[in-house]
Amino acid sequence: MIIVIDGPAGSGKSSTAKEIANRLNIQFLDSGALYRAVTFHWLNSGKSDIRSFIELLPDVKIASKYKNNTFFVSLDGSDITNQLRQHYVAEHVSEIATQPDVRMFVNNYMRNLVVNGTYIADGRDLGTAVFPDAEIKFFMTASIEERARRRFNEIKETDPGVTLKDVEENIRQRDNKDQNRASDPLKKADDAIEIDTTGKTFEEQISEMISIIENKTKLNH
Ligand code: DC
């Protein structure tokens, strides 16, 4: 079974999905981390043009697991989790995520993964393109200022050179690219439930979403 949460960068999808996964004892799948992993791989591949990098994709061995509140990703056997949130990866990820071959690679990985088990996954196009038959779909939103503040607090320790203004600008650009790209743009699915988290406490939004899940499924915490 799969529950999906889509929404723009910094709307709180990952922290919400993790908390719900912990409380309901299900798996968490972070699709953005997979796009970041492919981006990280490209930036370290020595290939300056994306086309020649894409030819290497069929040989890439990606793996992930959710443990101790962290979504770990490894590439060809090396753990790269700590690199994925760095600003230089964020600066290039939208470019990589517009490539249809990359999207196919990530989507295939995710569809194979969720065959066994119950997952809550977060992303941009999960309810529309990747899992159109998901049992429950949420679409989370929050104001751009609030999203930038949250993302900045999340990365300031691992990336001390970055400023709040950098993060806000990066989120603005990513919103623009995510919503206007040709392949699978960020869009609320018609049957998704919208959750606007601006001004809501974390506990309020979690309780609201868990009661929706409990009403629609047999999952209980
Ligand atoms: O959620 P995030 O910020 O970690 O996502 C990183 C990037 O990956 C984001 O700029 C858009 C892209 N992405 C995507 O295109 N489709 C998804 N399902 C998830 C993320």
Side-chain angles (χ1 to χ4, degrees), residues 128-146:
T128 50
V130 190
F131 300 111
D133 299 326
E135 278 78 1
I136 303 178
K137 300 177 183 178
F138 290 108
F139 191 84
M140 286 181 68
T141 56
S143 70
I144 199 156
E145 294 77 14
E146 187 150 334

Side-chain angles (χ1 to χ4, degrees), residues 36 70 80-90 150-163 167:
R36 288 166 184 266
T70 304
I80 55 163
T81 311
N82 285 336
Q83 276 77 56
L84 301 181
R85 291 269 150 200
Q86 299 212 332
H87 193 61
Y88 86 108
V89 175
R150 288 178 191 161
R151 182 53 59 89
F152 176 69
N153 287 336
E154 211 176 274
I155 63 173
K156 66 184 179 200
E157 268 153 39
T158 50
D159 207 352
V162 77
T163 66
V167 176

Side-chain angles (χ1 to χ4, degrees), residues 9 13 30-33 35-36 85 93-94 97 103 122-126 151 174 178 181:
K13 303 179 300 287
D30 180 348
S31 65
Y35 285 101
R36 288 166 184 266
R85 291 269 150 200
V93 65
S94 296
R103 302 203 73 78
D122 82 302
R124 303 291 190 288
D125 61 338
L126 304 186
R151 182 53 59 89
R174 283 208 283 150
D178 291 346
R181 67 179 180 221

